[in-house]
Amino acid sequence: HTMAITRLTTCNNPMEAHLLQGRLEEEGIHSFLGGELMSGYPPMNGVSVFVEEEDYSRAHTLLQNTSEL
């Protein structure tokens, strides 16, 4: 079956996105990053963090509780 993913948030830079992704993984929530440029330059419009729809509410709660990473 195909899994539905939804955007959790958009981070200002790749480092912030990777920190959030690490926190999500610690909670057992798999996430995907989108918007990163492969060339290594920071993307102009930030880095989106996506999670599976079934994990969204848990991930969103985690995001609210860790807004100060």
Side-chain angles (χ1 to χ4, degrees), residues 3 5 9 12 15 18 20-21 24-25 32 34 39-41 43 46 48 52-53 55 58:
M3 60 184 161
I5 63 169
T9 189
N12 294 324
M15 179 175 280
H18 285 286
L20 175 57
Q21 190 174 40
L24 292 168
E25 294 289 340
F32 312 87
S39 61
Y41 293 105
S48 295
E52 294 178 37
E53 277 187 355
D55 291 330
R58 281 176 55 221

Side-chain angles (χ1 to χ4, degrees), residues 3-67:
M3 60 184 161
I5 63 169
T6 187
R7 187 173 61 82
L8 175 63
T9 189
T10 300
C11 298
N12 294 324
N13 58 66
M15 179 175 280
E16 186 180 323
H18 285 286
L19 285 171
L20 175 57
Q21 190 174 40
R23 289 285 295 121
L24 292 168
E25 294 289 340
E26 287 174 11
E27 297 296 322
I29 301 170
H30 189 63
S31 60
F32 312 87
L33 301 183
E36 275 185 291
L37 300 180
M38 301 314 288
S39 61
Y41 293 105
M44 298 303 291
N45 58 351
V47 180
S48 295
V49 179
F50 298 89
V51 295
E52 294 178 37
E53 277 187 355
E54 62 189 33
D55 291 330
Y56 179 82
S57 60
R58 281 176 55 221
H60 191 262
T61 299
L62 179 71
L63 180 65
Q64 298 305 311
N65 293 340
T66 59
S67 55

